[in-house]
């Protein structure tokens, strides 16, 4: 369906060259900024200040990295540097699959619970 009905839980950016790392970070930053702006507006209307931290995945050539977007109240911080595997060999692939499974469970659990609470608060303030 239309993108406006699909919730973004994990953003993924891929680059095939090492020199494109800054471009990838900028693209992820723009995506995160847009998401936070919209969710902040929804949270404000729901009288909620808590915005859930979001995982991001940055893939440069063969290497996969997990980044976390954390709302510090006065700023949004992207915490990076967690290597989650690579596509050079079987062990690296298993690591990636394991992390993706954990992220899927987080989306189905904590993230969806947070979204449902936010939407319920919005519905309650509109009523």
């Amino acid at each position: 369906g239309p993108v406006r009905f699909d919730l973004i839980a994990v953003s993924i950016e891929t680059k095939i060259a090492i020199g494109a790392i800054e471009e990838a970070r900028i693209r992820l930053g723009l995506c995160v900024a847009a998401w936070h702006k919209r969710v902040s507006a929804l949270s404000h209307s729901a009288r909620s200040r808590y915005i859930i931290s979001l995982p991001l995945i940055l893939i440069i050539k063969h290497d996969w990295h997990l980044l976390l977007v954390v709302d510090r109240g006065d700023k949004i911080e992207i915490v990076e540097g967690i290597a989650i595997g690579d596509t050079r060999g079987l062990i690296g692939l298993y690591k990636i699959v394991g992390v993706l499974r954990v992220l899927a469970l987080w989306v189905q659990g904590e993230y969806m619970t947070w979204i449902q609470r936010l939407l319920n608060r919005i519905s309650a303030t509109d009523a």
Side-chain angles (χ1 to χ4, degrees):
V3 173
R4 67 178 185 233
F5 298 122
D6 294 329
L7 298 173
I8 296 173
V10 180
S11 293
I12 300 173
E13 183 67 27
T14 61
K15 292 295 171 195
I16 59 171
I18 295 286
I21 292 174
E22 276 311 305
E23 179 188 344
R25 286 187 178 130
I26 289 169
R27 290 178 60 116
L28 282 171
L30 289 172
C31 179
V32 165
W35 185 88
H36 262 267
K37 182 177 180 179
R38 181 65 181 138
V39 171
S40 292
L42 291 172
S43 296
H44 182 69
S45 70
R47 297 186 181 117
S48 174
R49 291 195 172 140
Y50 168 69
I51 296 179
I52 196 165
S53 295
L54 280 183
L56 307 173
I57 295 176
L58 176 59
I59 306 164
I60 305 292
K61 294 180 89 175
H62 294 282
D63 300 312
W64 289 52
H65 299 275
L66 178 67
L67 295 78
L68 298 172
V69 178
V70 180
D71 185 352
R72 301 285 188 202
D74 60 335
K75 65 180 177 179
I76 299 167
E77 182 179 349
I78 298 179
V79 180
E80 51 184 298
I82 304 169
I84 60 170
D86 61 65
T87 57
R88 289 184 185 92
L90 197 55
I91 293 174
L93 289 169
Y94 278 126
K95 289 178 183 178
I96 292 168
V97 169
V99 170
L100 293 176
R101 286 180 176 164
V102 170
L103 287 174
L105 291 172
W106 175 83
V107 169
Q108 294 169 353
E110 187 175 338
Y111 181 76
M112 288 307 294
T113 299
W114 180 80
I115 289 288
Q116 289 169 347
R117 285 183 186 151
L118 179 64
L119 295 176
N120 289 342
R121 287 186 192 134
I122 293 169
S123 296
T125 58
D126 289 345

